[in-house]
Structure formats: structure tokens, C-alpha cells
Amino acid sequence: MKKYIQYGKEYKKYFFLAPILTLVDTLAEVVLPMLMSIIVSNGVMAQDIPYIIKIGIVMVLVAMLAMGSAIIGAYCSARASVGLGANLRQGMFDKVQQFSFANIDTFSTGSLVTRLTNDITQVQNVAMMGLRMALRAPIMLIGAVIMAISLDSELAVVFCVAIPVLAVALVLIMKNAFPRFDNLQKMYDRLNSNVEENATNVRVVKSFVREDYEREKFEESNSLLYRAAWKAIRLVIMDMPVMTLVMNVTTIAVVWFGGNKILGGQMQVANLMAFITYTFQILMSLMMMSMIFIMGSRAVISSRRILAVLNEEVDLKSSDASQKNGYTVESGRVEFKDVCFKYKDGGEDVLKDINFTINSGETVAIIGATGSAKTSLVQLIPRLYDVTAGQVLVDGRDVKDYTVEHLRDSVSMVLQKNVLFSGTIRDNLKWGDEHADDTEIIAAAKAAQAHDFIMSMRDGYDTYLSQGGVNVSGGQKQRLCIARALLKKPKILILDDSTSAVDTATEAKIRETFNTSLKAATKIIIAQRITSVMDADKIIILDNGQIVGMGSHDELLKNNVEYQEIYYSQKDREVSA
Ligand SMILES: Nc1ncnc2c1ncn2[C@@H]1O[C@H](COP(=O)(O)OP(=O)(O)OP(=O)(O)O)[C@@H](O)[C@H]1O
Ligand SMILES: [Mg+2]
């Protein structure tokens, strides 16, 4: 609730006005039938024209009051709820921007999309309805019951039967509603994940001719959603006939007993008319309440899902101490001390007892089979994830002692799965340094061996890249990503398999420029090809999350079985090719 106050406070005027106006509107509506009955019994029967005019004017005023407050009340509640929805969306999006990699692993992308759109819409709709109906229904119920009793307390006994029957029906419906709506939202997640995955990977789907398979997959999640929705909606529409039945039976009972009373001379026609109107009001308010409960239970589910995102603890925050310390990375020495690491989803340690030191300015290569945890290892340096045990040190200080912003500014990492964004090449490179001028941009592009192909494109650095950089080749994209990383002028540069699509000659040139333009920086290069790693000062061999060899190319070739295996298998292939 505190969260909602935070996001709604901008619109607090409307949040206060809406219920107050509803109160006025409802009271006016409850008074009207009573005035009507008074006019008929005291004015019409006695043919007292001035009395009729007097009460008539009061009635018109009351009706106008009801209409005015209903219109303004509706306006206020719409303003308040739409505003709350917009603020919630913004708040949630901002929160997601703060998420660490581990946080993102907890929510699937599809689920985040549902939560940001559908769930917020549910809450918004219920807020709009609730601001008016939540107050209107009980007030109308109480007001109408009091009026009805004051008209004829004997006849009001009918409600003693109708109200409990409705209450029991409501409780039964509610009890079933929660799990069904919960399931419904989960099915929305599933569908959204499906669409998201398909839309982002449409090229892969096409190249593998998997359209039919994808269609089937979608059909399945769509039909699951359909069934979940039908199950939930069925309950909601059940509500209607039950209500109408009770309403009709009650009205008949009122007319029957009331009619008999009139025949017996114990009741006036005018009073019965008013009584019937109150009967309608009572039953209408009960119906409204049942709608509120049903929609409300859906909103409660959605609200829980929204709050789960808003209240998710962002790990990897900069600690207060690190803000105060103000430490900066100077040389870029990297040290791993007894590091173990595992992902949040449980399972076993992905990295086990990792120990090594990289001095500043050194080039270190990491090599190992796929799944040997190379990526997992380097992600610990810019704190994309945090270690489970042990310490990662930069310049002799725990990485947690730096602010995350500063650490990530000093450590430039070219991710294995990299993307470019919609925009010109220049815009994309400027992600590395938004204040970079053209000379710096060109220097970085030259170092990454990207300048020549950029210049050969029609618009040079102003060439527009469409989403994800689909209009450049794989190797070109990798070189743009390297240039982007170089612009940061990092103290530590990490390339995670970033030259896999670049030919060996170009790759050698890139490595050469590193040795001149990035001499002082620590360079960590993950690669599959021996040719990419053999010049490194040190080579680390990873196998199944453990270091099984460390040293220079010559040392390893002499006395490390794993390295020899990789070396000779690749050499053989080269020879046979
Ligand atoms: N986000 C994640 N959540 C859970 N497990 C993960 C995650 N990322 C990787 N893993 C697991 O951690 C292990 C190591 O993966 P990692 O990506 O570090 O390997 P790698 O050596 O970089 O492989 P490759 O050469 O294919 O890039 C794998 O078993 C993988 O299943
Ligand atoms: Mg990897």
C-alpha cells in the first residue's frame, strides 16, 4: 500500500475528491424515492399544488446535485487511476533498469512485459471502479435498508432472506476466483514469452524452417490462455444469473406481500412504489459489491505481481561505504582469491576455487570447452554477478569497495552475445563515451579494424543500423562492439569470444593495435582458436569450472596435456583443411 501511495500522491486531489463526490451522489439518489413517496402521499392525494411545487423543486435540485457529483466524481476517479497507472509503469521500468543480471534471471522477459502492461491495466481499472463503487455500494445498501425499514419494517423482513443467500453465493464465487486469476496471469506470461522469443529470433526461426513448430508452440500457449481465461470468466458470468434470480424473486415477494398489505389497508400505494425502488437499490448495490470482489480479486493477483518487481531487492548495489571511499581504479591489476560462484537457480558451483593474478598491462587469454564457465568467470570482474565465496580484487581492493558505476566504467567488456541499437554507427559507438569527438571515434574504429569497412558504407559513420545491427555482417558487428568498448578507454578490457567471426589476419591486426594503443590496460581475451591466444603473456585453461593449466604458450605446450590436446587437434584440422 505504501508503494501505491508513493506512485499515486501526484494525483491525491483526485483520490480524495472521487469518493467524496460519490458519497454526495449516492446519498442524493437514496433520498429521491423518499421524496417521491412524500409528494404522492402528502401532495397528490391531498391535491395540495403549492406543496407539490415546493417538494418538486427540492427533488429537481437533489437530482441535479446527484448528476453533477456523478459526472465530476467519474472524471476524478478516471484521472486518479490513469495517473496512478502511468506512474506505476514508469516506476516499474525504472526499477527494471536498476536490475542486475541476477535479478533479470528471476523474472522472465515475457513476465516482465505482462506485469508492465496487463497487470498494471488491471490495477488501473479496479482503481477507477473502486474509487466510485467501493463507497457507493455499501452506502447505497445501508441507506436503502434504513429507508426501507422506515417505510415499512414488516415488509423489510424479505431482505433477511435475500441478503444471506446472496452473501453465500458471493463467498463461493470468491473462493474460486483467486487461483483461477493467478493461473490466468501466468498464462499471459507464457504467451508473452513466446511472442517475444519468436519476434526477436524470427531470422533463426526462418533459417531453420521452424515456422510450423513455432506455430504449434504458440497455438499451445494460446489455447492454455484461452482455457485459463474461460475458466475465470465462467465464474464471473455465473455471478450475473444468480444475482438476477435473487433480485426477481425478492421483487415478486415484495410486490406480493406489499399488495396484500395495501388490500388490507395497512400500506399506501406510494410507499410500496418507494419500497420497490429501494429493493432495486439494495440488490443493485449487492451486485456492485460482487463485481468489486471479483474484479478486486483479479487486481490483488496483479498487484502482487507488480509489487514483486517493485520490491525486488536489487543486488549489486553500490554500498554506502564505496560511495564514501571514492576509490578509483588506477592500474587494472586483477586478482581472484579462492573464488567460487553459482547462479541463483541453485545447482552446483559453476566455478570452483579459482586463484590467479593478472598484472596491469598484461594480456591474458582464457581457453576451454564450451560450458567450462569462461563467461561466468569474467562476468565477476565488472560485477555483472557477485561471487558466492572468495574475493575478486582489482588494484588489490575487493570489487565491492568500488561504486558499481565507476567499476563498470573502468572495466570494458565486450559480451559474447552482443547487440547494437537502432541508430547511426556514430550513435552506437558513443555508447562507450557520449562526449567522444570524431577523432576519438575514428581512432577507436581504426584500432578495432572497423574504420575501413565503415568508410566503404554509403553514409560512413552516419550509416543507420537497424534493430540489433542486422544490416552489418557478424564480423563487422563484432568489430563495432570492440570499437565501442575501446572508446571507454578502459583500465581492464575483456573480450568474450569477440573475434570469433573475424578472420585470423584482421584479428592479428586488432591484437597488434591493443599492444600499442592499450599498452597500459589489462587485457583478458576469451577465445576458441589457439592462434588467438598463443601470443598472450599468460594462458588460463578452464575445464568444468576449474583451472587445469596456467602459463605461457611454450610452457603449456611442453607440460600440459589439455593444452596439447587442443593445440594438436586444431593444428590437424588446419593441415587437413
Ligand atoms: N544465467 C545463467 N543462469 C544459470 N546458469 C547459467 C547461466 N549462464 C550460464 N549458466 C551455466 O553455467 C555454466 C557455464 O557457462 P558459461 O557461459 O560460463 O560457459 P562458457 O565457458 O562461457 O561457454 P561458451 O564457450 O559456450 O561461451 C554452464 O553450465 C551454463 O549452463
Ligand atoms: Mg561464454
Side-chain angles (χ1 to χ4, degrees):
M1 201 64 214
K2 237 170 47 205
K3 278 272 179 247
Y4 285 112
I5 293 173
Q6 180 194 334
Y7 290 108
K9 69 169 180 272
E10 193 185 334
Y11 299 91
K12 63 170 180 277
K13 188 167 75 191
Y14 300 107
F15 275 106
F16 279 117
L17 272 178
I20 292 173
L21 289 167
T22 310
L23 189 71
V24 174
D25 160 33
T26 316
L27 288 178
E29 240 175 88
V30 171
V31 170
L32 274 178
M34 194 54 125
L35 290 174
M36 184 71 170
S37 134
I38 289 173
I39 243 183
V40 174
S41 33
N42 298 354
V44 179
M45 296 300 188
Q47 304 210 328
D48 184 348
I49 301 291
Y51 186 82
I52 293 175
I53 291 175
K54 201 174 77 190
I55 300 292
I57 288 172
V58 174
M59 277 183 77
V60 169
L61 288 178
V62 171
M64 275 166 62
L65 184 69
M67 196 173 83
S69 47
I71 291 171
I72 303 173
Y75 169 84
C76 287
S77 69
R79 239 350 244 281
S81 54
V82 172
L84 174 72
N87 283 354
L88 270 178
R89 267 192 296 274
Q90 191 66 51
M92 228 163 134
F93 187 81
D94 292 348
K95 182 80 183 195
V96 173
Q97 297 311 301
Q98 295 169 20
F99 274 9
S100 70
F101 279 35
N103 289 131
I104 294 169
D105 290 346
T106 2
F107 300 99
S108 72
T109 332
S111 173
L112 280 178
V113 173
T114 326
R115 286 167 208 244
L116 251 155
T117 52
N118 185 295
D119 281 315
I120 289 186
T121 310
Q122 297 301 339
V123 170
Q124 180 180 313
N125 286 348
V126 169
M128 177 139 67
M129 193 180 77
L131 273 175
R132 290 174 53 68
M133 287 219 226
L135 208 60
R136 187 183 168 85
I139 289 175
M140 191 178 248
L141 179 68
I142 295 167
V145 167
I146 292 174
M147 291 296 196
I149 290 174
S150 75
L151 275 172
D152 194 318
S153 51
E154 262 179 43
L155 203 50
V157 174
V158 174
F159 300 131
C160 295
V161 183
I163 294 176
V165 169
L166 278 182
V168 170
L170 257 183
V171 169
L172 284 180
I173 289 172
M174 283 282 297
K175 240 179 70 183
N176 287 306
F178 267 105
R180 291 185 190 194
F181 284 127
D182 192 31
N183 190 38
L184 177 61
Q185 292 312 93
K186 287 206 182 103
M187 291 303 135
Y188 265 117
D189 285 355
R190 200 184 146 129
L191 188 91
N192 276 343
S193 297
N194 213 313
V195 172
E196 192 252 359
E197 195 179 74
N198 180 277
T200 22
N201 302 317
V202 65
R203 280 153 218 280
V204 184
V205 173
K206 294 235 169 275
S207 65
F208 280 86
V209 204
R210 296 282 273 183
E211 288 97 335
D212 284 343
Y213 172 75
E214 286 289 307
R215 260 194 57 127
E216 268 167 38
K217 214 166 76 180
F218 184 81
E219 212 175 276
E220 193 195 328
S221 37
N222 196 19
S223 96
L224 280 172
L225 176 61
Y226 156 77
R227 263 178 271 158
W230 172 227
K231 239 180 126 172
I233 301 289
R234 215 159 48 190
L235 205 62
V236 179
I237 56 174
M238 274 275 291
D239 187 45
M240 277 296 175
V242 173
M243 288 284 160
T244 325
L245 182 72
V246 177
M247 218 157 135
N248 289 340
V249 172
T250 313
T251 316
I252 291 169
V254 167
V255 173
W256 172 261
F257 292 117
N260 278 337
K261 285 188 102 175
I262 290 173
L263 291 179
Q266 296 150 305
M267 196 181 192
Q268 289 188 335
V269 177
N271 282 1
L272 181 62
M273 271 166 49
F275 198 95
I276 290 173
T277 315
Y278 286 127
T279 309
F280 274 121
Q281 286 189 353
I282 288 168
L283 297 173
M284 277 299 288
S285 56
L286 283 172
M287 200 137 115
M288 255 192 266
M289 274 157 104
S290 73
M291 279 317 278
I292 292 172
F293 279 123
I294 289 174
M295 302 244 333
S297 60
R298 182 159 193 197
V300 167
I301 299 285
S302 288
S303 171
R304 275 188 208 147
R305 290 159 48 89
I306 293 169
L307 290 178
V309 175
L310 290 176
N311 293 334
E312 167 85 3
E313 192 74 44
V314 176
D315 39 15
L316 309 176
K317 268 190 292 214
S318 306
S319 66
D320 294 338
S322 68
Q323 301 275 13
K324 238 183 301 156
N325 294 337
Y327 292 143
T328 53
V329 178
E330 298 298 336
S331 72
R333 209 173 87 101
V334 177
E335 194 178 346
F336 275 57
K337 263 194 196 161
D338 305 318
V339 168
C340 293
F341 172 72
K342 69 160 159 259
Y343 286 100
K344 240 189 195 167
D345 59 3
E348 50 187 276
D349 278 359
V350 175
L351 286 166
K352 282 153 271 189
D353 296 319
I354 303 292
N355 281 291
F356 65 83
T357 309
I358 306 173
N359 289 316
S360 59
E362 273 185 343
T363 303
V364 168
I366 302 176
I367 195 164
T370 61
S372 56
K374 303 181 293 295
T375 303
S376 308
L377 186 144
V378 292
Q379 278 175 346
L380 301 175
I381 303 172
R383 282 188 79 196
L384 298 181
Y385 288 93
D386 266 340
V387 295
T388 350
Q391 261 188 322
V392 176
L393 307 166
V394 169
D395 282 5
R397 278 195 202 99
D398 196 311
V399 281
K400 291 173 189 163
D401 291 340
Y402 299 99
T403 62
V404 174
E405 295 76 24
H406 176 73
L407 186 70
R408 295 203 183 143
D409 263 345
S410 322
V411 182
S412 218
M413 181 159 167
V414 181
L415 299 177
Q416 190 169 16
K417 275 179 265 171
N418 230 321
V419 281
L420 297 165
F421 289 82
S422 314
T424 63
I425 290 183
R426 183 181 283 106
D427 293 340
N428 267 284
L429 295 184
K430 277 190 165 179
W431 275 64
D433 175 7
E434 52 184 325
H435 305 297
D437 57 31
D438 274 359
T439 25
E440 287 172 302
I441 291 176
I442 291 171
K446 277 188 174 156
Q449 304 299 317
H451 181 70
D452 290 343
F453 85 76
I454 295 175
M455 289 316 287
S456 72
M457 294 175 111
R458 199 152 49 95
D459 296 321
Y461 282 85
D462 292 313
T463 304
Y464 194 84
L465 298 179
S466 35
Q467 196 189 3
V470 287
N471 50 349
V472 286
S473 78
Q476 288 172 338
K477 188 167 151 188
Q478 285 189 331
R479 280 179 275 167
L480 288 175
C481 291
I482 294 174
R484 178 170 73 181
L486 290 179
L487 259 182
K488 264 170 108 173
K489 302 198 185 66
K491 294 286 191 299
I492 301 170
L493 175 72
I494 303 169
L495 301 184
D496 188 353
D497 222 356
S498 312
T499 48
S500 55
V502 178
D503 61 275
T504 9
T506 313
E507 192 197 1
K509 272 194 224 151
I510 296 176
R511 266 194 324 239
E512 238 166 68
T513 54
F514 281 176
N515 288 334
T516 51
S517 66
L518 270 180
K519 206 168 168 46
T522 306
K523 295 158 288 273
I524 302 174
I525 295 169
I526 296 179
Q528 306 283 356
R529 292 195 291 244
I530 287 281
T531 49
S532 317
V533 304
M534 51 195 261
D535 299 336
D537 298 310
K538 200 189 290 178
I539 300 166
I540 296 174
I541 307 169
L542 269 185
D543 183 32
N544 204 7
Q546 278 173 314
I547 295 182
V548 294
M550 188 157 38
S552 69
H553 172 72
D554 294 331
E555 286 164 16
L556 289 171
L557 199 56
K558 226 179 282 161
N559 48 34
N560 187 290
V561 190
E562 281 86 3
Y563 193 73
Q564 289 161 356
E565 248 171 50
I566 307 173
Y567 179 78
Y568 289 112
S569 72
Q570 292 196 5
K571 216 175 149 90
D572 289 349
R573 226 177 307 147
E574 246 168 60
V575 172
S576 63

